[in-house]
Amino acid sequence: KDRDFCLVSETNLHINGHFIGKSKKQALKRDFTWVQSIGVQFDSHKLYLGANKVAKWDDARDELSLLLDDQPIVLPPGRGVDWESASAPGLKISRLQDANSVTVEVAESFVITARVVPITAEESRIHKYEITEDDCFAHLELNFKFFALSPQVTGVLGQTYSAGFKSPVKVGVAMPIMGGEDKFAASDLFSADCKVARFAGCAIESVAGHNFPEVACGSGSAAGRGIVCRK
């Protein structure tokens, strides 16, 4: 918890995630963690998507923060509303619901679907998260779709698209762990300084015509298994 990790790193695309969480109890081996925000660097731009800190959750109130190059993005309310950037050609953001759910697209590069959700009282009771009334731990559920990745792509998620990747996860254990903290830890949300970073803000040699599968990442709260990502 309270750390940043590289999710995807390419020469013209770098995505870090910031994790929030609850400290583990003596009987537990791992903290409970959720992705609070992501920092997306593409070409020369920086895009921030984050869930605000919220005490009591209200579905009708928009708790998603968006910034482009440190400037707030103000999306008009209403499902289906689109916003296109004048300074970052090809960047388009669309509301999927009246609040808390958007798609972010950079033409011919990626589509990210982001939804802000809380930890509910029922989830906290079932999984013993011990969420208190001062913070419902609003976080992001994410879906990634990529259109131009090289065989050298890396990052916690990016490595799964690389040539010859073999998963270290032990399927069937109660909470499978991918590992790689030493390789993927970053100093902040917009630092491409993890050990395997490739970001240089320039064009990449993509795999033409390859259909990259989507990756959906959420809290896995139904199973009580922390962050779960599935292709």
Side-chain angles (χ1 to χ4, degrees):
K1 70 185 185 74
D2 302 325
R3 296 187 64 186
D4 303 293
F5 292 93
C6 167
L7 304 181
V8 177
S9 190
E10 270 288 11
T11 55
N12 74 334
L13 175 65
H14 190 92
I15 304 174
N16 284 350
H18 178 74
F19 288 74
I20 56 174
K22 296 281 289 184
S23 295
K24 61 190 177 183
K25 293 181 179 179
Q26 290 285 340
L28 299 174
K29 295 182 179 180
R30 303 178 184 93
D31 291 346
F32 296 120
T33 55
W34 302 277
V35 179
Q36 178 271 330
S37 58
I38 58 173
V40 184
Q41 296 181 77
F42 59 99
D43 300 326
S44 60
H45 300 286
K46 297 190 300 182
L47 178 66
Y48 171 90
L49 291 85
N52 298 332
K53 185 174 180 179
V54 184
K56 186 176 181 180
W57 183 257
D58 180 352
D59 282 330
R61 182 173 176 177
D62 200 8
E63 299 294 355
L64 176 65
S65 291
L66 299 163
L67 293 90
L68 178 63
D69 299 328
D70 300 320
Q71 298 301 310
I73 297 172
V74 180
L75 288 181
R79 182 182 307 188
V81 169
D82 294 331
W83 176 92
E84 295 189 36
S85 172
S87 60
L91 172 61
K92 178 181 177 181
I93 301 176
S94 304
R95 283 196 186 274
L96 296 177
Q97 303 290 336
D98 291 338
N100 298 309
S101 184
V102 298
T103 59
V104 178
E105 178 178 1
V106 171
E108 299 182 358
S109 183
F110 63 83
V111 175
I112 299 172
T113 302
R115 179 177 173 233
V116 181
V117 295
I119 299 298
T120 67
E122 181 66 7
E123 289 170 341
S124 181
R125 182 189 67 79
I126 292 173
H127 303 300
K128 298 180 174 58
Y129 292 144
E130 296 188 354
I131 300 300
T132 54
E133 292 184 356
D134 63 326
D135 190 353
C136 69
F137 278 81
H139 60 281
L140 297 178
E141 289 187 346
L142 298 159
N143 185 284
F144 299 92
K145 177 69 175 179
F146 301 103
F147 301 102
L149 298 174
S150 77
Q152 291 76 41
V153 60
T154 187
V156 176
L157 299 179
Q159 66 178 342
T160 67
Y161 292 98
S162 64
F165 172 75
K166 293 182 179 180
S167 176
V169 173
K170 295 181 179 179
V171 178
V173 301
M175 186 179 287
I177 299 297
M178 179 172 283
E181 176 183 347
D182 60 324
K183 295 189 296 182
F184 303 123
S187 59
D188 64 57
L189 197 61
F190 286 104
S191 288
D193 58 0
C194 65
K195 290 182 180 179
V196 295
R198 303 187 68 239
F199 184 70
C202 58
I204 64 171
E205 219 178 288
S206 63
V207 181
H210 189 83
N211 184 25
F212 297 102
E214 294 184 14
V215 175
C217 294
S219 65
S221 56
R225 294 185 177 180
I227 293 295
V228 176
C229 293
R230 295 186 177 91
K231 285 186 178 178

